[in-house]
Amino acid sequence: MSELKTSLLPEMTDVWQQTLSWQPDTVGQLQFQCLYDLILAGNQRLNLTRITTPEEFWEKHLWDSLRGVAPLWQSVTSPQRAIDIGTGAGFPGLPIAIARPDWHITLLDSTRKKIAFIETLLPQLKLENAVTLVGRAEEIKRISQHRRSYDLALLRAVAPASICAEYALPLLKKEGLAILYRGQWTDEETDALQPVVKKLGGVIESIEEFTTPISNSQRTCLYLRKVLTTPAGFPRAAGIPPQTQL
Ligand code: SAH
């Protein structure tokens, strides 16, 4: 068996503070390291991520996951119930569960083997505020436990923005927030997304553009607020081509 070498994650205390006015405590830092070690080990079998150096993992998986929700840390005081739709190997949901032990995170993915892998991580990370769910976003809203149940829905690298909105809005409580993690973003894309979000009972509340702190990569987070009940029938059934416009 090949020997598995892992490296120490950088602490980046100053960067955490400068960018998010936050830093992990000792337990959080140990959990981040443990997550990194376990993902690297799992990668040998499961091909979970291309991001493997400590710096890249810190920036693209830890920092990026938290950057999307950190703006809420000032304004939101009650514990949030969040769903990470298309979580893959657990991003952005796992770093958020580590950073916010008071929040409750559901990690959803349609790929059983990815969810089975995350299941093995949770006890090792000693995370008691995260649960997993195998399924498609189009299907779980039929289960009353999930419909209109979440304060937050998070989607990173899952589908075109309009499809992400369609997955997220039905699962949110009224006044809930969907956060779409995107790369580059244009005004034309905003114009195209606006009517789709409206049809789903939401509004584009804000759009934040920023660069990542190590590689200066362009990122955009879209914040969609649910203001009305989403009409029945959304999201449309699986199999309807994702490109189909609403
Ligand atoms: N969010 C992770 C993974 C992105 S890859 C990250 O940023 O690293 C996209 C993931 O979404 C895949 O694991 C895929 O299985 C899942 N996925 C795609 N469509 C889905 C759907 N309709 N419902 C649930 N999961 C979906």
Side-chain angles (χ1 to χ4, degrees), residues 84-100:
D84 179 5
I85 300 173
T87 189
F91 302 100
L94 283 176
I96 295 171
I98 291 171
R100 295 303 305 238

PDB file of all heavy atoms in Angstrom, residues 84-100:
ATOM      1  N   ASP A  84     -26.958  22.242   1.574  1.00  0.00           N
ATOM      2  CA  ASP A  84     -25.922  22.382   0.541  1.00  0.00           C
ATOM      3  C   ASP A  84     -26.328  21.437  -0.587  1.00  0.00           C
ATOM      4  O   ASP A  84     -26.233  20.212  -0.439  1.00  0.00           O
ATOM      5  CB  ASP A  84     -24.564  22.010   1.156  1.00  0.00           C
ATOM      6  CG  ASP A  84     -23.423  22.106   0.155  1.00  0.00           C
ATOM      7  OD1 ASP A  84     -23.655  22.551  -0.989  1.00  0.00           O
ATOM      8  OD2 ASP A  84     -22.298  21.716   0.517  1.00  0.00           O
ATOM      9  N   ILE A  85     -26.792  22.014  -1.683  1.00  0.00           N
ATOM     10  CA  ILE A  85     -27.350  21.221  -2.795  1.00  0.00           C
ATOM     11  C   ILE A  85     -26.221  20.888  -3.783  1.00  0.00           C
ATOM     12  O   ILE A  85     -25.602  21.794  -4.320  1.00  0.00           O
ATOM     13  CB  ILE A  85     -28.474  22.022  -3.495  1.00  0.00           C
ATOM     14  CG1 ILE A  85     -29.603  22.345  -2.499  1.00  0.00           C
ATOM     15  CG2 ILE A  85     -28.999  21.255  -4.712  1.00  0.00           C
ATOM     16  CD1 ILE A  85     -30.680  23.280  -3.061  1.00  0.00           C
ATOM     17  N   GLY A  86     -25.977  19.600  -4.007  1.00  0.00           N
ATOM     18  CA  GLY A  86     -24.856  19.193  -4.872  1.00  0.00           C
ATOM     19  C   GLY A  86     -23.535  19.403  -4.151  1.00  0.00           C
ATOM     20  O   GLY A  86     -22.612  20.016  -4.666  1.00  0.00           O
ATOM     21  N   THR A  87     -23.453  18.857  -2.951  1.00  0.00           N
ATOM     22  CA  THR A  87     -22.304  19.121  -2.065  1.00  0.00           C
ATOM     23  C   THR A  87     -21.021  18.442  -2.520  1.00  0.00           C
ATOM     24  O   THR A  87     -19.929  18.851  -2.129  1.00  0.00           O
ATOM     25  CB  THR A  87     -22.671  18.708  -0.621  1.00  0.00           C
ATOM     26  OG1 THR A  87     -21.661  19.140   0.270  1.00  0.00           O
ATOM     27  CG2 THR A  87     -22.834  17.192  -0.483  1.00  0.00           C
ATOM     28  N   GLY A  88     -21.110  17.413  -3.358  1.00  0.00           N
ATOM     29  CA  GLY A  88     -19.898  16.726  -3.825  1.00  0.00           C
ATOM     30  C   GLY A  88     -19.151  16.095  -2.666  1.00  0.00           C
ATOM     31  O   GLY A  88     -19.694  15.272  -1.936  1.00  0.00           O
ATOM     32  N   ALA A  89     -17.913  16.535  -2.464  1.00  0.00           N
ATOM     33  CA  ALA A  89     -17.130  16.018  -1.336  1.00  0.00           C
ATOM     34  C   ALA A  89     -17.381  16.829  -0.060  1.00  0.00           C
ATOM     35  O   ALA A  89     -16.650  16.708   0.913  1.00  0.00           O
ATOM     36  CB  ALA A  89     -15.653  16.031  -1.683  1.00  0.00           C
ATOM     37  N   GLY A  90     -18.441  17.681  -0.083  1.00  0.00           N
ATOM     38  CA  GLY A  90     -18.810  18.389   1.142  1.00  0.00           C
ATOM     39  C   GLY A  90     -18.564  19.887   1.127  1.00  0.00           C
ATOM     40  O   GLY A  90     -18.435  20.515   2.184  1.00  0.00           O
ATOM     41  N   PHE A  91     -18.573  20.490  -0.070  1.00  0.00           N
ATOM     42  CA  PHE A  91     -18.295  21.931  -0.172  1.00  0.00           C
ATOM     43  C   PHE A  91     -19.423  22.679  -0.861  1.00  0.00           C
ATOM     44  O   PHE A  91     -19.890  22.217  -1.907  1.00  0.00           O
ATOM     45  CB  PHE A  91     -16.983  22.147  -0.927  1.00  0.00           C
ATOM     46  CG  PHE A  91     -15.835  21.458  -0.251  1.00  0.00           C
ATOM     47  CD1 PHE A  91     -15.381  20.228  -0.727  1.00  0.00           C
ATOM     48  CD2 PHE A  91     -15.279  21.989   0.892  1.00  0.00           C
ATOM     49  CE1 PHE A  91     -14.354  19.560  -0.074  1.00  0.00           C
ATOM     50  CE2 PHE A  91     -14.246  21.327   1.547  1.00  0.00           C
ATOM     51  CZ  PHE A  91     -13.785  20.105   1.055  1.00  0.00           C
ATOM     52  N   PRO A  92     -19.866  23.769  -0.268  1.00  0.00           N
ATOM     53  CA  PRO A  92     -19.297  24.492   0.878  1.00  0.00           C
ATOM     54  C   PRO A  92     -19.763  24.007   2.255  1.00  0.00           C
ATOM     55  O   PRO A  92     -19.348  24.546   3.275  1.00  0.00           O
ATOM     56  CB  PRO A  92     -19.802  25.928   0.655  1.00  0.00           C
ATOM     57  CG  PRO A  92     -21.121  25.750  -0.011  1.00  0.00           C
ATOM     58  CD  PRO A  92     -20.974  24.539  -0.894  1.00  0.00           C
ATOM     59  N   GLY A  93     -20.605  22.962   2.329  1.00  0.00           N
ATOM     60  CA  GLY A  93     -21.286  22.626   3.583  1.00  0.00           C
ATOM     61  C   GLY A  93     -20.391  22.236   4.747  1.00  0.00           C
ATOM     62  O   GLY A  93     -20.629  22.677   5.882  1.00  0.00           O
ATOM     63  N   LEU A  94     -19.354  21.424   4.505  1.00  0.00           N
ATOM     64  CA  LEU A  94     -18.561  20.939   5.651  1.00  0.00           C
ATOM     65  C   LEU A  94     -17.764  22.059   6.335  1.00  0.00           C
ATOM     66  O   LEU A  94     -17.813  22.163   7.565  1.00  0.00           O
ATOM     67  CB  LEU A  94     -17.637  19.791   5.227  1.00  0.00           C
ATOM     68  CG  LEU A  94     -18.314  18.417   5.048  1.00  0.00           C
ATOM     69  CD1 LEU A  94     -17.309  17.392   4.533  1.00  0.00           C
ATOM     70  CD2 LEU A  94     -18.935  17.927   6.346  1.00  0.00           C
ATOM     71  N   PRO A  95     -17.043  22.909   5.593  1.00  0.00           N
ATOM     72  CA  PRO A  95     -16.353  23.999   6.286  1.00  0.00           C
ATOM     73  C   PRO A  95     -17.329  24.904   7.065  1.00  0.00           C
ATOM     74  O   PRO A  95     -16.995  25.403   8.147  1.00  0.00           O
ATOM     75  CB  PRO A  95     -15.670  24.778   5.145  1.00  0.00           C
ATOM     76  CG  PRO A  95     -15.450  23.739   4.089  1.00  0.00           C
ATOM     77  CD  PRO A  95     -16.667  22.848   4.164  1.00  0.00           C
ATOM     78  N   ILE A  96     -18.542  25.074   6.533  1.00  0.00           N
ATOM     79  CA  ILE A  96     -19.525  25.912   7.235  1.00  0.00           C
ATOM     80  C   ILE A  96     -19.974  25.213   8.523  1.00  0.00           C
ATOM     81  O   ILE A  96     -20.095  25.840   9.577  1.00  0.00           O
ATOM     82  CB  ILE A  96     -20.721  26.228   6.313  1.00  0.00           C
ATOM     83  CG1 ILE A  96     -20.250  27.093   5.134  1.00  0.00           C
ATOM     84  CG2 ILE A  96     -21.839  26.925   7.093  1.00  0.00           C
ATOM     85  CD1 ILE A  96     -21.296  27.297   4.042  1.00  0.00           C
ATOM     86  N   ALA A  97     -20.186  23.893   8.448  1.00  0.00           N
ATOM     87  CA  ALA A  97     -20.585  23.155   9.658  1.00  0.00           C
ATOM     88  C   ALA A  97     -19.487  23.240  10.716  1.00  0.00           C
ATOM     89  O   ALA A  97     -19.768  23.328  11.917  1.00  0.00           O
ATOM     90  CB  ALA A  97     -20.888  21.700   9.308  1.00  0.00           C
ATOM     91  N   ILE A  98     -18.223  23.245  10.274  1.00  0.00           N
ATOM     92  CA  ILE A  98     -17.104  23.360  11.227  1.00  0.00           C
ATOM     93  C   ILE A  98     -17.053  24.767  11.824  1.00  0.00           C
ATOM     94  O   ILE A  98     -16.913  24.943  13.029  1.00  0.00           O
ATOM     95  CB  ILE A  98     -15.763  23.010  10.526  1.00  0.00           C
ATOM     96  CG1 ILE A  98     -15.731  21.506  10.205  1.00  0.00           C
ATOM     97  CG2 ILE A  98     -14.564  23.424  11.383  1.00  0.00           C
ATOM     98  CD1 ILE A  98     -14.566  21.063   9.313  1.00  0.00           C
ATOM     99  N   ALA A  99     -17.213  25.776  10.963  1.00  0.00           N
ATOM    100  CA  ALA A  99     -17.106  27.170  11.438  1.00  0.00           C
ATOM    101  C   ALA A  99     -18.299  27.568  12.303  1.00  0.00           C
ATOM    102  O   ALA A  99     -18.172  28.428  13.174  1.00  0.00           O
ATOM    103  CB  ALA A  99     -16.992  28.118  10.250  1.00  0.00           C
ATOM    104  N   ARG A 100     -19.472  26.983  12.031  1.00  0.00           N
ATOM    105  CA  ARG A 100     -20.691  27.372  12.754  1.00  0.00           C
ATOM    106  C   ARG A 100     -21.351  26.147  13.393  1.00  0.00           C
ATOM    107  O   ARG A 100     -22.354  25.630  12.882  1.00  0.00           O
ATOM    108  CB  ARG A 100     -21.680  28.049  11.797  1.00  0.00           C
ATOM    109  CG  ARG A 100     -21.204  29.380  11.229  1.00  0.00           C
ATOM    110  CD  ARG A 100     -20.866  30.392  12.313  1.00  0.00           C
ATOM    111  NE  ARG A 100     -21.978  30.604  13.218  1.00  0.00           N
ATOM    112  CZ  ARG A 100     -22.552  31.795  13.447  1.00  0.00           C
ATOM    113  NH1 ARG A 100     -22.099  32.870  12.846  1.00  0.00           N
ATOM    114  NH2 ARG A 100     -23.544  31.890  14.303  1.00  0.00           N
TER     115      ARG A 100
END
